[in-house]
Amino acid sequence: MKLIFDRNSARFYESWRRSSPSGNIERSMESVIRSVLAPLPGERLLDIGCGDGNHLLMFNRLGLDVTGVDASVDMVEEARSRLGSRSALKVGMAEDLPFDDNEFDLAVFIHTLEFLDNPLPALREAGRVARRKVFIGVLNSLSWNGILK
């Protein structure tokens, strides 16, 4: 893993998440996620690299049974404070997920693969634990936000 967020990077991420550009990105991404994933209420979803739980909240609103995993103890603690009992949360590496084969219907990487040295093992793990679909959402210089700059 290239970067595991500590308290300082978690605070920086939170300030970005609350910014106007971030809000625009998240609204657009939510629409795309709904369309591509076509989640059904009650399905089990794993958010790999869940960070502070922002996307878990969105998936919870959609009626999904949500679980998050993140390599950062600090980010998992923040997610736990935001979600309470609405989500199961674990500290773990995307490249070695602490879950059984086909334990989830859906797995998502949202703003996660950018932080991995080698995303292939993490993608394999997502395919192992997800029965139906794996969604990948990344921000980079080719994303619409990067093009606007």
Side-chain angles (χ1 to χ4, degrees):
M1 169 139 318
K2 200 184 300 184
L3 173 67
I4 297 176
F5 283 26
D6 59 15
R7 289 212 185 276
N8 288 333
S9 50
R11 279 194 291 272
F12 176 77
Y13 175 77
E14 182 179 349
S15 69
W16 176 82
R17 185 178 50 75
R18 293 175 186 233
S19 72
S20 178
S22 173
N24 293 335
I25 291 167
E26 292 303 318
R27 280 187 293 283
S28 295
M29 186 169 277
E30 184 171 345
S31 174
V32 169
I33 290 169
R34 283 181 179 193
S35 173
V36 172
L37 273 182
L40 303 172
E43 281 191 306
R44 298 204 63 211
L45 177 134
L46 175 64
D47 185 351
I48 304 166
C50 67
D52 65 359
N54 195 48
H55 299 111
L56 289 169
L57 289 167
M58 174 192 67
F59 292 123
N60 182 261
R61 285 191 307 270
L62 295 175
L64 300 174
D65 179 0
V66 295
T67 298
V69 63
D70 201 283
S72 168
V73 172
D74 294 320
M75 293 303 265
V76 168
E77 286 176 8
E78 178 64 24
R80 191 167 280 123
S81 72
R82 293 180 75 199
L83 285 131
S85 63
R86 291 180 284 174
S87 176
L89 295 161
K90 288 189 179 187
V91 175
M93 302 298 281
E95 302 89 344
D96 186 24
L97 295 171
F99 303 104
D100 293 333
D101 293 359
N102 299 312
E103 187 168 336
F104 300 93
D105 299 296
L106 310 165
V108 298
F109 291 100
I110 303 174
H111 314 313
T112 300
L113 294 181
E114 305 92 313
F115 297 102
L116 302 179
D117 289 324
N118 180 5
L120 189 55
L123 291 166
R124 284 187 180 128
E125 277 292 278
R128 179 184 67 77
V129 302
R131 181 183 63 76
R132 193 161 75 81
K133 287 185 183 178
V134 175
F135 176 85
I136 301 168
V138 297
L139 287 177
N140 59 37
S141 63
L142 300 177
S143 66
W144 74 267
N145 187 49
I147 292 169
L148 295 176
K149 291 184 179 184

